[in-house]
Amino acid sequence: MAEISMNKARTMIRKALQKGREMELKPLSVVVLDAGGHVKAFEREDGAAPGRFAIAQGKAFGAVMLGMSGTAQMQRAEQQGYFMNAVNGVYGGQVVPVPGGVLVRDKRGVVIGAVGVTGDTSDNDAICAAFGIEAANLVPEI
């Protein structure tokens, strides 16, 4: 099974943060999780609120554990709030079902992890995450 190397995790973070600066976004926090939902790497820009790790991790954790992007999770929550509430109960409140949790797929389409970005609007967070994933020659699912 393919996994995210430390080099690729660092590339994803560096490029996501670069995209945020190019877009003149608020300070971002970026986490990369492996396919088991474990933290591979994390960075919080100067000026980002200290609680941002939990939000970034929750976005990515929900994506990898459910096999669906934050955007898809938000749509599901809007249609079936009871389902996402139940999921959050199962995972101890760790799921943040909004854009910015982006699945990472290898070139064959296999989910190998997720990236969570937080700090600006959820849609902008997702753009930065996808940019970082693509820069690591992997495939994002927003």
Side-chain angles (χ1 to χ4, degrees):
M1 180 172 147
E3 65 178 57
I4 298 172
S5 69
M6 183 58 71
N7 187 50
K8 287 198 181 277
R10 289 179 176 152
T11 296
M12 287 186 259
I13 289 172
R14 185 176 71 252
K15 292 297 188 174
L17 295 175
Q18 174 188 320
K19 185 66 171 175
R21 287 189 299 273
E22 287 173 6
M23 294 173 65
E24 299 183 356
L25 303 181
K26 296 175 185 172
L28 300 177
S29 296
V30 183
V31 70
V32 178
L33 304 183
D34 66 16
H38 304 284
V39 176
K40 188 75 179 187
F42 171 75
E43 284 192 32
R44 180 173 59 91
E45 285 188 302
D46 293 343
R52 290 292 178 172
F53 170 78
I55 297 169
Q57 189 269 346
K59 287 181 176 188
F61 188 79
V64 78
M65 288 294 112
L66 297 173
M68 67 172 65
S69 69
T71 300
Q73 290 175 61
M74 186 172 79
Q75 291 169 349
R76 185 79 182 262
E78 289 170 346
Q79 296 166 358
Q80 296 178 312
Y82 60 88
F83 173 77
M84 289 308 294
N85 283 336
V87 164
N88 231 336
V90 167
Y91 291 116
Q94 294 182 68
V95 175
V96 179
V98 296
V102 179
L103 285 172
V104 178
R105 293 184 182 272
D106 66 15
K107 297 294 183 183
R108 296 169 311 189
V110 176
V111 173
I112 60 171
V115 173
V117 177
T118 184
D120 204 82
T121 67
S122 292
D123 290 335
N124 285 339
D125 295 343
I127 289 167
C128 294
F131 186 83
I133 294 165
E134 289 171 349
N137 294 312
L138 294 167
V139 181
E141 182 178 322
I142 296 179

